[in-house]
Amino acid sequence: MTTLENELPDRIESKLLPPNNRNNLTKQPVALELYHGDRPYYSVTQMQAALDSKHSEDTVRDRLNDLVELDIAETDQVNNGEIYYFDHEDSDWPVPTDAEVEPERTEPTVTEFLGR
C-alpha cells in the first residue's frame, strides 16, 4: 500500500461512513490507495496487491464498488474486466501524476496539411 499521507480530502472523507468492524477490509484503505496510489487506475487484482491484502478478490471488488456507489470512484469496462479510478473533478479520465499536458495545437499536422 502507498506510504504517502494517510489523509483524504474532506469531500471524500465525509462520504465514508465510520468503519464497520464486521468488515475486515474497510473502504478507507481502498480510498487511500485510489487517491494516493502510484497508478492512475486499478483492476481488482492490482488493488488487492497494492493493499497487500489477504482478502478475496470479491471483498476487494465489493469495497471498490462501494466507492463507486458513493461517487468517490469511477469504473469502466476494459478487455473483459473492470478498472477503477479516482473521480477527480478536473478530469474525465485518470491522468498519471507525471504526465505533461501539451498545449492545444493551432497548426495542422502534416497529414491534415497534405489532405487539403
Side-chain angles (χ1 to χ4, degrees), residues 3 10 16 24 28 33 38 43 48 64 75 80 86:
T3 57
D10 289 336
L16 299 175
N24 292 333
Q28 184 82 11
E33 184 62 34
D38 296 332
S43 68
Q48 187 180 30
L64 285 164
T75 185
N80 299 325
F86 175 63

Side-chain angles (χ1 to χ4, degrees), residues 7-16:
E7 294 183 10
L8 292 166
D10 289 336
R11 67 184 181 82
I12 294 174
E13 191 72 48
S14 65
K15 291 182 180 183
L16 299 175

Side-chain angles (χ1 to χ4, degrees), residues 12-39:
I12 294 174
E13 191 72 48
S14 65
K15 291 182 180 183
L16 299 175
L17 298 175
N20 180 347
N21 292 333
R22 293 180 300 150
N23 292 331
N24 292 333
L25 179 62
T26 63
K27 293 176 266 221
Q28 184 82 11
V30 179
L32 282 167
E33 184 62 34
L34 274 178
Y35 188 77
H36 291 293
D38 296 332
R39 303 181 57 82

Side-chain angles (χ1 to χ4, degrees), residues 80-96:
N80 299 325
E82 288 184 294
I83 59 169
Y84 298 85
Y85 54 94
F86 175 63
D87 182 20
H88 195 279
E89 69 264 5
D90 295 336
S91 177
D92 290 334
W93 189 252
V95 178

Side-chain angles (χ1 to χ4, degrees), residues 28-88:
Q28 184 82 11
V30 179
L32 282 167
E33 184 62 34
L34 274 178
Y35 188 77
H36 291 293
D38 296 332
R39 303 181 57 82
Y41 58 86
Y42 290 83
S43 68
V44 172
T45 53
Q46 289 167 334
M47 179 59 74
Q48 187 180 30
L51 295 172
D52 295 326
S53 180
K54 299 174 203 152
H55 302 287
S56 71
E57 285 186 13
D58 288 338
T59 300
V60 174
R61 182 178 293 107
D62 287 346
R63 294 303 82 75
L64 285 164
N65 286 330
D66 289 344
L67 296 178
V68 171
E69 288 176 16
L70 292 169
D71 292 326
I72 293 172
E74 293 287 330
T75 185
D76 281 312
Q77 294 289 324
V78 179
N79 294 336
N80 299 325
E82 288 184 294
I83 59 169
Y84 298 85
Y85 54 94
F86 175 63
D87 182 20
H88 195 279

